[in-house]
Amino acid sequence: MSISRKLLPAAGLLLTSCTAAFQPGGGGDPISAADLQRRLYAFAADSMMGRLFGDEGDLKGTQYIANQLASMGVLPGGENGTYFQAVPAFRVTAGSGTQAFLDGAPLAYRTDYITSIPASGRALPLGDLEVIYGGDLSDSAALVPPEQTAGKAVLFTIDGPFRGNPNRFISRYTQAAAVITKTNPAAMRTFLVTTVTDTTAARVNVFVSPTVAERLFETPSTTLRPGTAGRRLRFASMTFQRQPAAARNVVGIIRGSDPAVNGQYIAIGAHPDHVGIRAGGPLDHDSLRAFNTIAQRIVEARTREMTGSPGAGLTAAERASIRVNVDSLRRIRPARRDSVFNGADDDGSGSMGVLEIAESFARGRTKPRRSLLFVWHTGEEGGLRGSRHFADNPTVPRDSIVAQLNMDMIGRGGAGDILGGGPDYLQLVGSRRLSKELGDLVESVNAGSTRPLRFDYSIDANGHPERIYCRSDHWHYARYGIPIVFFTTGLHMDYHQLTDEPQYIDYEHLRRVVQLVHDVASRVANLDHRVIVDKPKPDPTAACVQ
Ligand SMILES: [Zn+2]
């Protein structure tokens, strides 16, 4: 269900494209809030099916972008004269022979447990494992020491308030034979079909139902101490079937005007993919948003920070108290059921921002001296797949890429979205990590605008637990020593929710962020020298350090 189409039935008619009459210095179509809005309503529509990597919606979304580039006269920069670069993708499903046994009794795949699917698609005979309790991830100080889990299966729970990515704790347990996480059954269903690239999984991840978690220890997990030994779990004949799937990056080029430097590129990027359709079925839009609005207030009051998906940060008692309020809401208004993750902010906002920048330069009478490379990286969600593939196999010489400007979630950032937010709010990440000059240049371009944005560098701090520097597409450029800037208005309560829809975007805020990225690209492209890399180039095969 799309609330968006009901609210704005004639969006495409009301909001017309900008005229060519406006000619700011050097010419060009101005960055327009109306253009951004018109395109975002199309790109984040339910018909795009949530744009899941390797799925039909991903192909539709990338086709939309390619069609727009063609209409603007932007040159194809992909493979074989097209706008596309194929990205390897496979659909892997568990084979029917997969079996697990708890003390000899068989468990039911899909209801009792599921396993993460090894990308290789190979069978994983795990044999007979002792299970020990690792602790609750909300109390990370009390987790079992990793060396105690060697060769065993370790069970983690998330019963207390927890925000962020559990992997930041789980990834320390490299010696464990398997990591088991207690998971609610609805979340388990979302893991059933996974599209992955061909990387090898280091260790098996298993997700079990609350019932199985209790059976593993014959006692409720809330009464367990980390390190407690439980019963034995045996995995037999785990098999997987792997079929190729189609996925692609979109690449466009605007040739620079100066033959001396137009073999160099300023790369501008975003990710067109999102997380698809809710496997657990539809939810009522209004109840979900009401729940998350209250949850956000509770979590912010407690932690003084906001990192997205506020419902995950609640205690069971808080959850129940909100549910009472939401239930009373339902009596006022019939349910509006929705199952499509529209991804308007994540990352429809950045994807349409790149298009708007391309249009502005394409319509300009004078092109910048250096060339512009527009890349929409698919498969960002869950693995940065398209950006890794592009950085490893660039369609222009890698050393010709002078800098990369990445946008992900740039349409929110208001006072109600994030603590410290407001109409001028923008987070910057990585802007001085390879080139002090690039970071300074973003500051000076912003300071020179009529109404500067207010930069928040807090999530760029070394060692920041959210590891944002390592978690979006720019990282794959940075690991090859290409200086980057990551622009985002930050996480909010609709992040990865069914409610990340176009009617909640602040289009004037979005326009100003896109204008800044446009102006930074223009400045870097017109510099009399290549932007200076003054930090050591990283080893491209080394792990990312925030
Ligand atoms: Zn994103």
Side-chain angles (χ1 to χ4, degrees), residues 270-271 273-274 345-348 380-381 407-409 471-473 486 488 491 495-496 500:
H271 73 89
D273 66 303
H274 192 56
D345 193 34
D346 184 14
D347 182 23
E380 189 272 353
E381 301 288 359
M407 291 173 269
D408 192 357
M409 301 178 66
R471 278 177 47 198
S472 193
D473 294 319
F486 177 45
T488 179
L491 296 168
Y495 168 68
H496 283 206
D500 182 5

Side-chain angles (χ1 to χ4, degrees), residues 193 204 265 281 331 481 537:
V193 176
V204 174
Y265 296 87
R331 281 178 232 122
K537 275 199 176 196

